[in-house]
C-alpha cells in the first residue's frame, strides 16, 4: 500500500466504535443485557431453563438453546415489517451455534433456554452486537458456562483490514469491493464459534484477520467483564 | 489472570457472619464464567466451580467464596433450580385422578400425589382440599426426569389462605432465611407476620394489618438487594428501628 488509508470516521483500523454494555436491564427476565457498538444497539433477555413445548423437541440428554434475533421495526430507516424473515431466522440459528459451545447444556435435560435478541438501532454489525449481548445475558441468568463469547465483524476497505464496520463502511464498494466478515470467539481460548463471510477475501489474509480479531475481542471481553462485575457492586437486581 | 485474588477490579470483603463458627477467613469476590478464581493444587472446587489444570475456574456468575481451601460460587441471579428437600410455593394448575399438578416455576411441573397429603381425601372431593388456582406450600421429595414429586407431610406445609404473595430472585432466598433461619425469625418477630418462603422465590405473608405486611415485604426486598453487606442480621435490626 502506498497511500495512507484513513477510515471514514477517523478510527484506527483495529479500533471499535464507542462500546456500551450493561446487564440487568429487564427486571422480568432471568438475565438480560444491552450492548452497543456505536449506533448499533442490541438488547438480549434470557429466560429459563424452562419447559420446552412442543414436547417432541425436548432432548432428554441436554437443554435446547433457542435464540430469537430480530430487528425492531424502527431500528432501520425504512420501516422493517415486524416478524421473522429469512434473514432473522438465519441469524438466530448462527447465534445459537455461536453460543452453544460455551454453555453447559447437559445440566438441564429436556428444557429450553430462551434467548431473545432485539436490535433497537441498526448500523451494521447487528449480529455481533446481539451475540455479545446474549453472552452477557446468559452469564447474568446464572447459566453454567465455560466462558463468555466475544463477537466482532471485520472487513476490508479496498485492501486494508478494518474491524467493526459501520453501515457506511459496509457499503464501500471501491477497490476490491465490500467485505463483511462476522466472527465470534470464545474469550479465553482460540476457538472461533462464528465465521460468516459476505464478500471477497483471499485465503492468505484470513489468518491475519483472525489475529486482529483476537486482539479486538480481548477489548470486548474486558468491557463485558466490567459490566457484569459492576452489576453486583451496585447491589442492583 | 493468574492472580485473580489481587485483581484491582475485584471487590473483596471478609465476612465472618456467614462463615462457620470456626474462625475461617472467608473472602468473597465477584466472578464471571471462565474466570480463574485461584490457582494451586490445594484448593477444593465446590459448587459453581471447576478445576482446569492448576486453576479453579468459575462456571457461573456470582460471588466466589474462598473459605479456607474450599471454593464455591454463590449465584445471585437466575431461574430456580429444584433440589430435593426444597420447600416451594406453587399454584394448582390441574387436578388429575391421582393428585394435583402444581406450577412451581420449574422446567418440569410439580406433582402432588393424593397419598402425600396429611389426611385422607376422597377422590371425588379433591377440589375441596385444593382447587385449581389455590396456592400451596409443599416440599420437593423426589426429582425425576419427567417431573417433580411434592409432599405436604411436614410441618408448616399446606394450603396458604389469606395474606398475599410476591416474588424475589430465587438465588437470594438463602440470605432472606439467614443462618439457621435467623433472618426470617427476626422479620417475624419485628412485624408479627406469618411468613412462608419458597426456595423458588415466592414469598407468602399474612399479618395482623396490611401495614405490617407491607413492612415485612419491604424488609425482605431490602435484604434481597443487599448482596454485599456482611452481618446482615445486625444491619436489619437497625433497619427495623428506622422503618
Amino acid at each position: 500500500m502506498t497511500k495512507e488509508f484513513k477510515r471514514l470516521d477517523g478510527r484506527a483500523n483495529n479500533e471499535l466504535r464507542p462500546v456500551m454494555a450493561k446487564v440487568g436491564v429487564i427486571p422480568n427476565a432471568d438475565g438480560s443485557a444491552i450492548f452497543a457498538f456505536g449506533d448499533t444497539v442490541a438488547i438480549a433477555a434470557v429466560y429459563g431453563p424452562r419447559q420446552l413445548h412442543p414436547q417432541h423437541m425436548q432432548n432428554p440428554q441436554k437443554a435446547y438453546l433457542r435464540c430469537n434475533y430480530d430487528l425492531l421495526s424502527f431500528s432501520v430507516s425504512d420501516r422493517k415489517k415486524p416478524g421473522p424473515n429469512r434473514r432473522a431466522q438465519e441469524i438466530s440459528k448462527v447465534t445459537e451455534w455461536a453460543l452453544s459451545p460455551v454453555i453447559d447444556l447437559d445440566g438441564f435435560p429436556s428444557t429450553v433456554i430462551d434467548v431473545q435478541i432485539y436490535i433497537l438501532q441498526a448500523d451494521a454489525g447487528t449480529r455481533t452486537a446481539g451475540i455479545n449481548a446474549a453472552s452477557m445475558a446468559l452469564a447474568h441468568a446464572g447459566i453454567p458456562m465455560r466462558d463468555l463469547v466475544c463477537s466482532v465483524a471485520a472487513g476490508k476497505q479496498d485492501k486494508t483490514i478494518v474491524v467493526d464496520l459501520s453501515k457506511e463502511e459496509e457499503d464501500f464498494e471501491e477497490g476490491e469491493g465490500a467485505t463483511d466478515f462476522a466472527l465470534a470467539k470464545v474469550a479465553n481460548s482460540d476457538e472461533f464459534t462464528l465465521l460468516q463471510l459476505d464478500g471477497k477475501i483471499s485465503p492468505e489474509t484470513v489468518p491475519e484477520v483472525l489475529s486482529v480479531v483476537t486482539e479486538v475481542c480481548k477489548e470486548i471481553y474486558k468491557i463485558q467483564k466490567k459490566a457484569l462485575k459492576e452489576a453486583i457492586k451496585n447491589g442492583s437486581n | 489472570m493468574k492472580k485473580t485474588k489481587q485483581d484491582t477490579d475485584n471487590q473483596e470483603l471478609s465476612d465472618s457472619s456467614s462463615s462457620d463458627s470456626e474462625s475461617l477467613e472467608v473472602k468473597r469476590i465477584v466472578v464471571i464464567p471462565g474466570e480463574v478464581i485461584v490457582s494451586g493444587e490445594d484448593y477444593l472446587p465446590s459448587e459453581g466451580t471447576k478445576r482446569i489444570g492448576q486453576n479453579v475456574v468459575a462456571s457461573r456468575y456470582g460471588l466466589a467464596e474462598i473459605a479456607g481451601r474450599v471454593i464455591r460460587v454463590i449465584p445471585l441471579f437466575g431461574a430456580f433450580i429444584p433440589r430435593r428437600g426444597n420447600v416451594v410455593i406453587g399454584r394448582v394448575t390441574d387436578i388429575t385422578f391421582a393428585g394435583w399438578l402444581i406450577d412451581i416455576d420449574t422446567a418440569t411441573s410439580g406433582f402432588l400425589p393424593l397419598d402425600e397429603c396429611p389426611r385422607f381425601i376422597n377422590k371425588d372431593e379433591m377440589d375441596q382440599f385444593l382447587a385449581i388456582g389455590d396456592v400451596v406450600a409443599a416440599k420437593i421429595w423426589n426429582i425425576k426426569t419427567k417431573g417433580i414429586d411434592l409432599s405436604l407431610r411436614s410441618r408448616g406445609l399446606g394450603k396458604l389462605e389469606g395474606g398475599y404473595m410476591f416474588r424475589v430472585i430465587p438465588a437470594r432466598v438463602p440470605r432472606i432465611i439467614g443462618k439457621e433461619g435467623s433472618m426470617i425469625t427476626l422479620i417475624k418477630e419485628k412485624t408479627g407476620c406469618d411468613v412462608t418462603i419458597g426456595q423458588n422465590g415466592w414469598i407468602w405473608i399474612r399479618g395482623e394489618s396490611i401495614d405490617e405486611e407491607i413492612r415485612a415485604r419491604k424488609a425482605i426486598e431490602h435484604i434481597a438487594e443487599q448482596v454485599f453487606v456482611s452481618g446482615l442480621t445486625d444491619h436489619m435490626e437497625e433497619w427495623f428501628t428506622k422503618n
Side-chain angles (χ1 to χ4, degrees):
Chain A
M1 253 174 299
T2 47
K3 215 169 37 175
E4 185 65 30
F5 174 77
K6 194 91 180 160
R7 290 178 80 169
L8 285 164
D9 47 8
R11 277 186 286 158
N13 292 344
N14 62 350
E15 194 181 337
L16 295 167
R17 287 174 277 176
V19 178
M20 187 270 283
K22 204 178 166 219
V23 297
V25 289
I26 304 169
N28 268 1
D30 291 318
S32 59
I34 188 164
F35 191 95
F37 279 130
D39 286 339
T40 300
V41 185
I43 191 163
V46 173
Y47 294 87
R50 64 180 177 183
Q51 196 159 23
L52 174 56
H53 285 295
Q55 239 177 38
H56 69 82
M57 288 176 81
Q58 291 182 4
N59 182 345
Q61 287 183 320
K62 60 179 196 167
Y64 170 32
L65 180 71
R66 180 162 63 187
C67 295
N68 180 30
Y69 160 102
D70 208 351
L71 291 167
L72 291 176
S73 23
F74 53 79
S75 64
V76 279
S77 44
D78 288 331
R79 177 176 182 275
K80 190 233 167 217
K81 190 181 163 211
N85 51 18
R86 199 210 60 85
R87 177 179 175 274
Q89 278 179 36
E90 177 192 312
I91 296 177
S92 304
K93 203 73 210 169
V94 297
T95 305
E96 277 167 25
W97 292 338
L99 294 169
S100 52
V102 297
I103 303 169
D104 177 23
L105 294 171
D106 302 345
F108 310 101
S110 302
T111 63
V112 63
I113 298 168
D114 268 314
V115 183
Q116 312 281 3
I117 302 163
Y118 284 101
I119 306 301
L120 305 185
Q121 191 165 265
D123 185 38
T126 56
R127 76 194 66 189
T128 55
I131 290 170
N132 286 330
S135 150
M136 287 162 67
L138 280 162
H140 184 238
I143 310 279
M145 293 163 83
R146 187 157 58 89
D147 211 335
L148 291 185
V149 175
C150 308
S151 180
V152 74
K156 277 193 321 177
Q157 303 283 280
D158 192 15
K159 290 190 175 72
T160 317
I161 295 165
V162 293
V163 298
D164 188 23
L165 290 86
S166 64
K167 187 70 192 149
E168 271 176 311
E169 290 175 312
E170 215 179 65
D171 297 336
F172 185 79
E173 293 286 353
E174 281 166 51
E176 294 191 352
T179 303
D180 181 26
F181 197 1
L183 298 107
K185 185 182 166 285
V186 179
N188 291 314
S189 84
D190 286 331
E191 294 162 73
F192 284 86
T193 55
L194 170 75
L195 296 168
Q196 254 191 329
L197 174 63
D198 185 8
K200 279 185 283 184
I201 197 162
S202 67
E204 293 77 43
T205 39
V206 172
E208 197 188 330
V209 173
L210 295 188
S211 68
V212 171
V213 165
T214 303
E215 286 307 308
V216 175
C217 278
K218 281 180 191 163
E219 251 171 76
I220 296 171
Y221 181 61
K222 242 185 240 170
I223 292 158
Q224 289 176 318
K225 192 171 168 179
K226 191 167 163 248
L228 281 164
K229 293 207 168 183
E230 273 174 1
I232 291 186
K233 188 157 60 181
N234 299 336
S236 68
N237 46 53
Chain B
M1 274 316 289
K2 283 275 153 67
K3 289 186 178 169
T4 318
K5 277 201 268 183
Q6 274 108 47
D7 261 8
T8 43
D9 55 335
N10 284 335
Q11 311 93 44
E12 295 175 3
L13 162 127
S14 47
D15 189 337
S16 51
S17 70
S18 66
S19 70
D20 298 324
S21 45
E22 305 152 38
S23 57
L24 260 176
E25 201 202 330
V26 177
K27 217 173 180 185
R28 284 179 180 172
I29 49 175
V30 180
V31 289
I32 61 168
E35 188 177 348
V36 178
I37 305 170
V38 285
S39 47
E41 296 280 350
D42 287 349
Y43 293 104
L44 299 169
S46 178
E47 257 176 279
T49 61
K50 243 182 222 161
R51 169 170 290 285
I52 298 174
Q54 281 279 312
N55 303 325
V56 178
V57 177
S59 58
R60 291 186 75 174
Y61 169 55
L63 283 180
E65 188 181 78
I66 305 163
R69 292 172 62 208
V70 182
I71 317 287
R72 69 181 182 121
V73 173
I74 309 163
L76 296 174
F77 301 93
F80 169 59
I81 308 296
R83 294 263 160 83
R84 183 185 288 191
N86 283 167
V87 172
V88 293
I89 294 176
R91 202 179 280 274
V92 178
T93 54
D94 198 5
I95 303 175
T96 70
F97 67 95
W100 295 265
L101 274 178
I102 293 168
D103 177 16
I104 52 167
D105 274 6
T106 47
T108 46
S109 62
F111 182 69
L112 174 64
L114 252 184
D115 30 310
E116 285 300 325
C117 289
R119 61 181 173 85
F120 175 77
I121 290 150
N122 194 325
K123 278 198 177 177
D124 301 328
E125 293 162 353
M126 281 168 72
D127 60 343
Q128 281 169 24
F129 181 66
L130 284 173
I132 290 173
D134 281 353
V135 174
V136 63
K139 185 178 244 170
I140 295 174
W141 69 276
N142 198 10
I143 298 172
K144 296 176 291 191
T145 43
K146 281 288 171 195
I148 294 167
D149 285 334
L150 302 170
S151 168
L152 292 183
R153 294 189 180 192
S154 201
R155 252 188 84 230
L157 304 180
K159 186 174 165 183
L160 301 173
E161 284 171 293
Y164 77 110
M165 237 172 45
F166 65 101
R167 191 179 176 269
V168 297
I169 298 173
R172 311 281 170 88
V173 166
R175 285 227 108 181
I176 296 164
I177 292 170
K179 205 170 136 194
E180 282 158 20
S182 61
M183 186 67 80
I184 192 64
T185 315
L186 180 77
I187 295 168
K188 282 177 180 169
E189 244 171 51
K190 295 281 179 186
T191 63
C193 289
D194 205 353
V195 184
T196 302
I197 300 179
Q199 293 285 338
N200 55 350
W202 284 103
I203 296 173
W204 175 84
I205 299 177
R206 189 176 62 189
E208 303 268 290
S209 66
I210 291 193
D211 287 342
E212 286 300 317
E213 285 177 352
I214 290 172
R215 192 157 163 249
R217 176 178 180 163
K218 275 187 180 160
I220 289 169
E221 281 174 345
H222 180 73
I223 297 162
E225 276 174 19
Q226 306 300 310
V227 179
F228 252 116
V229 178
S230 60
L232 196 57
T233 312
D234 300 335
H235 172 87
M236 286 312 290
E237 298 244 19
E238 205 188 312
W239 187 92
F240 274 116
T241 59
K242 286 178 197 155
N243 287 277

